[in-house]
Coordinates of all heavy atoms in Angstrom, one line a residue:
A1 N 106.1 35.0 85.7 CA 107.0 35.8 84.9 C 108.4 35.8 85.5 O 108.5 35.6 86.7 CB 106.4 37.2 84.9
Y2 N 109.3 36.1 84.7 CA 110.7 36.2 85.2 C 111.2 37.6 84.9 O 110.9 38.3 83.9 CB 111.6 35.2 84.5 CG 111.4 33.8 85.0 CD1 110.5 33.0 84.3 CD2 112.1 33.4 86.1 CE1 110.3 31.7 84.8 CE2 111.9 32.1 86.6 CZ 111.0 31.3 85.9 OH 110.8 30.0 86.4
Y3 N 112.1 38.0 85.8 CA 112.8 39.4 85.7 C 114.3 39.1 85.7 O 114.8 38.2 86.4 CB 112.3 40.3 86.8 CG 110.8 40.5 86.8 CD1 110.0 39.5 87.4 CD2 110.3 41.6 86.2 CE1 108.6 39.7 87.4 CE2 108.9 41.7 86.2 CZ 108.1 40.8 86.8 OH 106.7 41.0 86.8
T4 N 115.0 40.0 85.1 CA 116.5 39.8 85.1 C 117.1 41.2 85.1 O 116.6 42.2 84.7 CB 116.9 39.1 83.8 OG1 118.3 38.9 83.9 CG2 116.5 39.8 82.5
R5 N 118.3 41.2 85.7 CA 119.1 42.4 85.7 C 120.6 41.9 85.8 O 120.9 40.8 86.2 CB 118.8 43.4 86.8 CG 119.3 43.0 88.2 CD 118.8 43.9 89.2 NE 119.1 45.3 89.0 CZ 118.8 46.3 89.8 NH1 118.2 46.0 91.0 NH2 119.1 47.5 89.6
I6 N 121.5 42.8 85.5 CA 122.9 42.5 85.6 C 123.5 43.2 86.8 O 123.2 44.4 87.0 CB 123.7 43.0 84.3 CG1 123.1 42.3 83.0 CG2 125.2 42.8 84.5 CD1 123.4 40.9 83.0
D7 N 124.3 42.5 87.6 CA 125.1 43.2 88.6 C 126.3 43.8 87.9 O 127.3 43.1 87.6 CB 125.5 42.2 89.7 CG 126.2 42.9 90.8 OD1 126.7 44.0 90.7 OD2 126.3 42.2 91.9
K8 N 126.2 45.1 87.6 CA 127.3 45.7 86.9 C 128.6 45.9 87.7 O 129.6 46.1 87.2 CB 126.8 47.1 86.4 CG 125.6 47.0 85.5 CD 125.2 48.3 84.9 CE 126.1 48.7 83.8 NZ 125.6 49.9 83.0
E9 N 128.5 45.7 89.0 CA 129.7 45.8 89.9 C 130.6 44.5 89.7 O 131.8 44.6 89.9 CB 129.2 45.8 91.4 CG 128.4 47.1 91.7 CD 129.2 48.3 91.6 OE1 130.4 48.4 92.0 OE2 128.6 49.3 91.0
T10 N 130.0 43.4 89.4 CA 130.7 42.2 89.3 C 131.0 41.7 87.8 O 131.8 40.8 87.6 CB 130.1 41.0 90.1 OG1 128.8 40.8 89.6 CG2 130.0 41.4 91.6
C11 N 130.2 42.3 86.9 CA 130.4 41.9 85.5 C 131.8 42.3 85.0 O 132.3 43.4 85.3 CB 129.4 42.7 84.6 SG 129.6 42.6 82.8
I12 N 132.4 41.3 84.4 CA 133.8 41.6 83.9 C 133.8 41.7 82.4 O 134.9 41.6 81.7 CB 134.7 40.4 84.3 CG1 134.2 39.1 83.8 CG2 134.9 40.4 85.8 CD1 135.2 37.9 83.9
A13 N 132.6 42.0 81.8 CA 132.6 42.3 80.4 C 133.0 41.1 79.5 O 133.7 41.3 78.5 CB 133.3 43.6 80.0
C14 N 132.7 39.9 80.0 CA 133.1 38.8 79.2 C 132.3 38.6 77.9 O 132.8 38.0 76.9 CB 133.0 37.5 80.0 SG 131.4 36.7 80.0
G15 N 131.1 39.1 77.9 CA 130.3 39.2 76.6 C 129.5 37.9 76.4 O 128.9 37.8 75.3
A16 N 129.4 37.0 77.3 CA 128.7 35.8 77.0 C 127.2 36.0 77.1 O 126.4 35.4 76.3 CB 129.0 34.7 78.1
C17 N 126.7 36.9 77.9 CA 125.2 37.0 78.1 C 124.6 37.6 76.8 O 123.5 37.2 76.4 CB 124.9 37.9 79.3 SG 125.7 39.5 79.3
G18 N 125.3 38.6 76.2 CA 124.7 39.2 75.0 C 124.7 38.2 73.8 O 123.9 38.4 72.9
T19 N 125.6 37.3 73.9 CA 125.7 36.3 72.8 C 124.5 35.3 73.0 O 123.9 34.9 72.1 CB 127.0 35.5 72.8 OG1 128.0 36.5 72.6 CG2 127.1 34.5 71.8
A20 N 124.3 34.9 74.3 CA 123.3 33.9 74.6 C 121.9 34.5 74.4 O 121.0 33.9 74.0 CB 123.4 33.4 76.0
A21 N 121.7 35.8 74.8 CA 120.4 36.4 74.8 C 120.5 37.8 74.3 O 120.4 38.8 75.0 CB 119.9 36.4 76.2
P22 N 120.7 38.0 73.0 CA 120.9 39.3 72.4 C 119.7 40.2 72.4 O 119.8 41.4 72.3 CB 121.3 39.0 70.9 CG 120.8 37.6 70.7 CD 120.9 36.9 72.0
D23 N 118.5 39.6 72.6 CA 117.3 40.4 72.7 C 117.1 41.0 74.1 O 116.2 41.8 74.3 CB 116.1 39.5 72.3 CG 116.1 39.1 70.9 OD1 116.1 40.0 70.0 OD2 116.2 37.9 70.6
I24 N 117.9 40.5 75.0 CA 117.7 41.0 76.4 C 118.9 41.9 76.8 O 118.7 43.0 77.4 CB 117.6 39.8 77.4 CG1 116.5 38.9 77.1 CG2 117.5 40.4 78.8 CD1 116.4 37.7 77.9
Y25 N 120.1 41.4 76.6 CA 121.3 42.1 77.1 C 122.1 42.8 76.1 O 122.2 42.3 74.9 CB 122.2 41.0 77.8 CG 121.5 40.2 78.8 CD1 121.2 38.9 78.6 CD2 121.1 40.7 80.1 CE1 120.5 38.1 79.5 CE2 120.4 40.0 81.0 CZ 120.2 38.7 80.7 OH 119.5 37.9 81.6
D26 N 122.6 43.9 76.5 CA 123.5 44.7 75.6 C 124.6 45.2 76.5 O 124.7 44.9 77.7 CB 122.7 45.9 75.0 CG 123.3 46.4 73.7 OD1 124.4 46.0 73.4 OD2 122.6 47.2 73.0
Y27 N 125.5 46.0 75.9 CA 126.7 46.4 76.6 C 126.9 47.9 76.6 O 126.5 48.6 75.5 CB 128.0 45.8 76.0 CG 127.8 44.3 75.9 CD1 127.6 43.7 74.7 CD2 127.9 43.5 77.0 CE1 127.5 42.3 74.6 CE2 127.8 42.1 76.9 CZ 127.5 41.5 75.7 OH 127.4 40.2 75.6
D28 N 127.3 48.5 77.7 CA 127.6 49.9 77.7 C 128.9 50.3 77.0 O 129.6 49.4 76.5 CB 127.4 50.5 79.1 CG 128.5 50.0 80.0 OD1 129.6 49.5 79.6 OD2 128.4 50.2 81.3
D29 N 129.4 51.5 77.2 CA 130.6 52.0 76.5 C 131.8 51.2 77.0 O 132.8 51.2 76.3 CB 130.8 53.5 76.7 CG 129.8 54.3 76.0 OD1 129.1 53.7 75.1 OD2 129.6 55.5 76.3
E30 N 131.7 50.7 78.2 CA 132.8 49.9 78.8 C 132.7 48.4 78.6 O 133.3 47.6 79.3 CB 133.0 50.3 80.3 CG 133.4 51.8 80.4 CD 133.5 52.2 81.8 OE1 132.8 51.7 82.7 OE2 134.3 53.1 82.1
C31 N 131.7 48.0 77.8 CA 131.4 46.6 77.6 C 130.8 45.9 78.8 O 130.8 44.7 78.8 CB 132.6 45.9 77.0 SG 133.2 46.5 75.5
I32 N 130.3 46.7 79.7 CA 129.6 46.1 80.9 C 128.2 45.9 80.4 O 127.6 46.7 79.8 CB 129.7 47.0 82.1 CG1 131.1 47.3 82.5 CG2 128.9 46.4 83.3 CD1 131.9 46.1 82.9
A33 N 127.7 44.7 80.8 CA 126.3 44.3 80.3 C 125.2 45.0 81.1 O 125.4 45.4 82.2 CB 126.1 42.8 80.5
F34 N 124.1 45.2 80.4 CA 122.9 45.7 81.1 C 121.7 45.1 80.3 O 121.8 44.7 79.2 CB 122.8 47.2 81.2 CG 122.7 47.9 79.8 CD1 121.4 48.3 79.4 CD2 123.8 48.1 79.0 CE1 121.3 48.9 78.1 CE2 123.6 48.7 77.7 CZ 122.4 49.1 77.3
V35 N 120.5 45.2 81.0 CA 119.3 44.7 80.4 C 118.7 45.9 79.6 O 118.4 46.9 80.2 CB 118.3 44.3 81.5 CG1 116.9 43.9 80.8 CG2 118.8 43.1 82.2
K36 N 118.6 45.7 78.3 CA 118.2 46.8 77.5 C 116.7 47.2 77.5 O 116.3 48.3 77.1 CB 118.7 46.7 76.1 CG 118.2 45.4 75.3 CD 118.9 45.3 74.0 CE 118.4 44.2 73.1 NZ 119.1 44.1 71.8
T37 N 115.9 46.2 77.9 CA 114.5 46.4 77.9 C 114.0 47.4 78.9 O 113.0 48.1 78.7 CB 113.7 45.1 78.1 OG1 114.3 44.4 79.1 CG2 113.7 44.3 76.8
D38 N 114.7 47.5 80.0 CA 114.3 48.5 81.1 C 115.5 49.2 81.7 O 115.4 49.6 82.9 CB 113.4 47.9 82.1 CG 114.1 46.8 82.9 OD1 115.3 46.6 82.7 OD2 113.5 46.1 83.7
N39 N 116.6 49.4 80.9 CA 117.8 50.0 81.4 C 118.3 49.4 82.7 O 118.7 50.1 83.6 CB 117.5 51.5 81.6 CG 118.8 52.3 81.7 OD1 119.8 51.9 81.1 ND2 118.7 53.5 82.3
N40 N 118.2 48.1 82.8 CA 118.8 47.3 83.8 C 118.1 47.5 85.2 O 118.7 47.3 86.2 CB 120.3 47.6 84.0 CG 121.1 46.4 84.6 OD1 120.9 45.3 84.2 ND2 121.9 46.7 85.6
Q41 N 116.9 47.9 85.2 CA 116.2 48.0 86.4 C 115.6 46.7 86.9 O 115.3 46.5 88.1 CB 115.0 49.0 86.3 CG 115.5 50.4 86.0 CD 114.3 51.4 85.9 OE1 113.9 51.9 86.9 NE2 113.8 51.6 84.7
G42 N 115.4 45.7 86.0 CA 114.9 44.4 86.4 C 113.4 44.5 86.8 O 113.0 43.7 87.7
I43 N 112.7 45.3 86.2 CA 111.3 45.5 86.6 C 110.3 45.2 85.4 O 109.1 45.2 85.6 CB 111.0 46.9 87.1 CG1 111.3 48.0 86.0 CG2 111.7 47.2 88.4 CD1 110.9 49.4 86.4
T44 N 110.8 44.8 84.3 CA 110.0 44.5 83.1 C 110.1 43.0 82.9 O 111.2 42.4 82.8 CB 110.5 45.2 81.9 OG1 110.5 46.6 82.1 CG2 109.6 44.9 80.7
A45 N 108.9 42.3 82.9 CA 108.9 40.9 82.7 C 109.6 40.5 81.4 O 109.3 41.1 80.3 CB 107.5 40.4 82.7
V46 N 110.4 39.5 81.4 CA 111.0 38.9 80.2 C 110.0 38.2 79.4 O 109.2 37.4 79.9 CB 112.2 38.0 80.6 CG1 112.8 37.4 79.4 CG2 113.2 38.7 81.4
K47 N 110.0 38.5 78.1 CA 109.1 37.9 77.2 C 109.3 36.3 77.2 O 110.4 35.9 77.2 CB 109.2 38.4 75.8 CG 108.7 39.8 75.6 CD 108.8 40.3 74.2 CE 108.3 41.7 74.0 NZ 108.6 42.2 72.6
N48 N 108.2 35.6 77.1 CA 108.3 34.1 77.1 C 109.3 33.6 76.1 O 110.0 32.6 76.4 CB 106.9 33.5 76.9 CG 106.1 33.6 78.1 OD1 106.6 33.8 79.3 ND2 104.8 33.5 77.9
E49 N 109.3 34.2 74.9 CA 110.2 33.6 73.9 C 111.7 33.9 74.2 O 112.5 33.3 73.5 CB 109.8 34.2 72.5 CG 110.0 35.7 72.4 CD 108.6 36.4 72.5 OE1 107.8 36.1 73.4 OE2 108.4 37.3 71.7
Y50 N 112.0 34.7 75.2 CA 113.4 34.9 75.5 C 113.8 34.2 76.8 O 115.0 34.3 77.2 CB 113.6 36.4 75.7 CG 113.3 37.3 74.5 CD1 112.9 38.6 74.7 CD2 113.4 36.8 73.3 CE1 112.6 39.4 73.6 CE2 113.0 37.6 72.2 CZ 112.7 38.9 72.3 OH 112.4 39.7 71.3
I51 N 112.9 33.5 77.4 CA 113.2 32.8 78.7 C 114.4 31.8 78.6 O 115.3 31.8 79.4 CB 112.0 32.1 79.3 CG1 110.9 33.1 79.6 CG2 112.4 31.3 80.5 CD1 111.2 34.0 80.8
D52 N 114.4 31.0 77.5 CA 115.5 30.0 77.4 C 116.8 30.7 77.2 O 117.8 30.3 77.7 CB 115.2 29.1 76.2 CG 114.1 28.1 76.4 OD1 113.7 28.0 77.6 OD2 113.6 27.5 75.5
D53 N 116.8 31.8 76.4 CA 118.1 32.6 76.2 C 118.5 33.2 77.5 O 119.7 33.2 77.8 CB 117.8 33.7 75.2 CG 117.7 33.2 73.8 OD1 117.9 32.0 73.5 OD2 117.3 34.0 72.9
M54 N 117.6 33.7 78.3 CA 117.9 34.3 79.6 C 118.6 33.2 80.5 O 119.6 33.5 81.2 CB 116.6 34.8 80.3 CG 116.9 35.4 81.7 SD 115.3 35.7 82.5 CE 114.8 34.1 82.9
I55 N 118.0 32.0 80.6 CA 118.6 31.0 81.4 C 120.0 30.6 80.9 O 120.9 30.3 81.7 CB 117.6 29.8 81.5 CG1 116.4 30.2 82.2 CG2 118.3 28.6 82.1 CD1 115.2 29.2 82.2
E56 N 120.1 30.5 79.6 CA 121.5 30.2 79.1 C 122.5 31.3 79.5 O 123.6 31.0 79.9 CB 121.4 30.1 77.6 CG 122.6 29.6 76.9 CD 122.5 29.4 75.4 OE1 121.4 29.2 74.9 OE2 123.5 29.6 74.7
A57 N 122.1 32.5 79.5 CA 123.0 33.6 79.9 C 123.3 33.5 81.4 O 124.4 33.7 81.8 CB 122.3 35.0 79.6
Y58 N 122.2 33.2 82.1 CA 122.4 33.0 83.6 C 123.4 31.9 83.9 O 124.3 32.1 84.8 CB 121.0 32.7 84.2 CG 121.0 32.3 85.6 CD1 121.1 33.2 86.6 CD2 120.9 30.9 86.0 CE1 121.0 32.9 88.0 CE2 120.8 30.6 87.3 CZ 120.9 31.5 88.3 OH 120.9 31.2 89.6
Q59 N 123.3 30.8 83.2 CA 124.2 29.7 83.5 C 125.6 29.9 82.9 O 126.6 29.3 83.4 CB 123.6 28.4 82.9 CG 122.3 28.0 83.6 CD 121.6 26.8 82.9 OE1 121.8 26.5 81.7 NE2 120.8 26.1 83.7
G60 N 125.7 30.8 81.9 CA 127.0 31.0 81.3 C 127.8 32.1 81.8 O 129.0 32.1 81.5
C61 N 127.3 32.9 82.6 CA 128.1 34.0 83.2 C 129.1 33.5 84.1 O 128.8 32.9 85.1 CB 127.2 35.1 83.8 SG 128.1 36.5 84.5
P62 N 130.4 33.8 83.9 CA 131.5 33.3 84.8 C 131.5 34.0 86.2 O 132.1 33.4 87.1 CB 132.7 33.6 84.0 CG 132.4 34.8 83.1 CD 130.9 34.6 82.8
T63 N 130.8 35.1 86.3 CA 130.9 35.8 87.6 C 129.5 35.9 88.3 O 129.4 36.6 89.3 CB 131.4 37.2 87.4 OG1 130.6 37.9 86.5 CG2 132.8 37.2 86.9
D64 N 128.6 35.1 87.8 CA 127.2 35.1 88.4 C 126.6 36.5 88.4 O 125.9 36.8 89.4 CB 127.2 34.5 89.8 CG 127.5 33.0 89.7 OD1 127.2 32.3 88.7 OD2 128.0 32.4 90.7
S65 N 126.9 37.3 87.4 CA 126.4 38.6 87.4 C 125.0 38.7 86.8 O 124.4 39.8 86.9 CB 127.4 39.5 86.6 OG 128.6 39.5 87.3
V66 N 124.6 37.7 86.1 CA 123.2 37.7 85.5 C 122.3 37.2 86.6 O 122.4 36.1 87.1 CB 123.2 36.7 84.3 CG1 121.7 36.6 83.8 CG2 124.1 37.2 83.2
K67 N 121.4 38.1 87.0 CA 120.5 37.8 88.1 C 119.1 37.6 87.5 O 118.7 38.2 86.6 CB 120.4 39.0 89.1 CG 121.8 39.4 89.6 CD 122.5 38.3 90.4 CE 123.8 38.8 91.0 NZ 124.5 37.7 91.7
I68 N 118.4 36.6 88.1 CA 117.1 36.2 87.7 C 116.2 36.1 88.9 O 116.6 35.6 90.0 CB 117.1 34.8 87.0 CG1 117.8 34.9 85.6 CG2 115.7 34.4 86.7 CD1 118.0 33.6 84.9
S69 N 115.0 36.6 88.8 CA 114.0 36.5 89.9 C 112.6 36.3 89.3 O 112.3 36.7 88.2 CB 114.0 37.8 90.7 OG 113.0 37.7 91.7
E70 N 111.7 35.7 90.1 CA 110.3 35.6 89.7 C 109.6 36.9 90.1 O 108.4 37.0 89.9 CB 109.7 34.4 90.3 CG 110.2 33.1 89.7 CD 109.5 31.9 90.2 OE1 108.3 31.8 90.2 OE2 110.2 31.0 90.7
H71 N 110.3 37.8 90.8 CA 109.6 39.0 91.2 C 110.5 40.2 90.7 O 111.7 40.1 90.5 CB 109.6 39.1 92.7 CG 108.9 37.9 93.3 ND1 107.5 37.8 93.3 CD2 109.4 36.8 93.9 CE1 107.2 36.6 93.9 NE2 108.3 36.0 94.3
P72 N 109.8 41.4 90.5 CA 110.6 42.5 90.0 C 111.7 42.9 91.0 O 111.5 42.8 92.2 CB 109.5 43.6 89.9 CG 108.2 42.9 89.8 CD 108.4 41.6 90.6
F73 N 112.8 43.3 90.5 CA 113.9 43.7 91.4 C 113.5 45.1 92.0 O 112.8 45.9 91.3 CB 115.2 43.8 90.7 CG 115.8 42.5 90.3 CD1 115.4 41.8 89.2 CD2 116.7 41.9 91.1 CE1 115.9 40.6 88.8 CE2 117.2 40.6 90.8 CZ 116.8 40.0 89.7
K74 N 113.9 45.4 93.2 CA 113.7 46.7 93.8 C 114.6 47.7 93.2 O 115.8 47.4 93.0 CB 113.9 46.6 95.3 CG 112.8 45.9 96.0 CD 113.0 45.9 97.5 CE 111.9 45.1 98.2 NZ 112.4 44.4 99.4
A75 N 114.1 48.9 93.0 CA 115.0 49.9 92.5 C 116.0 50.3 93.6 O 115.6 50.4 94.8 CB 114.1 51.2 92.2
A76 N 117.2 50.5 93.2 CA 118.3 50.8 94.2 C 118.3 52.3 94.4 O 119.3 53.0 94.0 CB 119.6 50.2 93.7
S77 N 117.3 52.8 94.9 CA 117.2 54.3 95.0 C 117.5 54.8 96.4 O 117.6 56.0 96.6 CB 115.7 54.7 94.7 OG 114.8 54.1 95.6
C78 N 117.8 53.9 97.4 CA 118.1 54.3 98.7 C 119.5 54.1 99.1 O 120.1 53.1 98.6 CB 117.2 53.5 99.7 SG 115.5 53.7 99.4
N79 N 120.1 54.9 99.9 CA 121.5 54.8 100.2 C 121.8 53.5 101.0 O 123.0 53.1 101.1 CB 121.9 56.0 101.0 CG 122.0 57.3 100.2 OD1 122.2 57.2 99.0 ND2 121.7 58.4 100.8
N80 N 120.8 53.0 101.7 CA 121.1 51.8 102.5 C 121.0 50.5 101.8 O 121.0 49.5 102.4 CB 120.1 51.8 103.7 CG 118.7 51.7 103.3 OD1 118.4 51.6 102.1 ND2 117.8 51.8 104.3
Q81 N 121.0 50.5 100.5 CA 120.9 49.3 99.7 C 122.3 48.9 99.1 O 123.0 49.8 98.7 CB 119.9 49.4 98.6 CG 118.5 49.3 99.1 CD 117.5 49.2 98.0 OE1 117.8 49.4 96.8 NE2 116.3 48.8 98.3
Ligands
F3S1 FE1 129.2 40.4 82.3 FE2 128.6 37.9 82.9 FE3 127.5 39.1 80.8 S1 130.6 38.8 83.1 S2 129.1 40.5 80.1 S3 127.2 39.7 82.9 S4 128.1 37.0 80.9

């Protein structure tokens, strides 16, 4: 399985990811991207039918803000992360 999340600190709101993978990525009020399936936590496996779109988004982001992992991302709940 694959997991994805957006690094909202580095996203420059270019809008490419939501175009490549509209079923995964959406934009907040400031046009910064996030993963809409799990509110950008990166803990919900991406559906198989969306994997190709996810990879296209990953390759197309100009700031490498689209993150992909084969494991769930850890929740950023601690101050030391
Ligand atoms: Fe941001 Fe990259 Fe998407 S800059 S809007 S995460 S393609």
Side-chain angles (χ1 to χ4, degrees):
Y2 284 96
Y3 301 83
T4 182
R5 77 188 304 185
I6 299 293
D7 186 340
K8 299 185 75 169
E9 299 295 319
T10 57
C11 170
I12 57 170
C14 84
C17 56
T19 300
D23 295 298
I24 302 174
Y25 307 106
D26 203 350
Y27 308 104
D28 68 15
D29 291 345
E30 296 176 329
C31 299
I32 301 299
F34 68 97
V35 176
K36 60 185 184 180
T37 44
D38 62 5
N39 199 24
N40 205 47
Q41 296 183 84
I43 56 174
T44 303
V46 177
K47 290 183 180 175
N48 284 338
E49 61 258 45
Y50 300 154
I51 296 288
D52 287 348
D53 288 352
M54 177 191 72
I55 291 171
E56 189 178 329
Y58 172 78
Q59 293 174 337
C61 179
T63 59
D64 291 333
S65 299
V66 176
K67 306 299 185 186
I68 294 176
S69 174
E70 291 185 53
H71 305 283
F73 289 85
K74 287 182 182 148
S77 57
C78 302
N79 290 330
N80 61 4
Q81 287 189 344

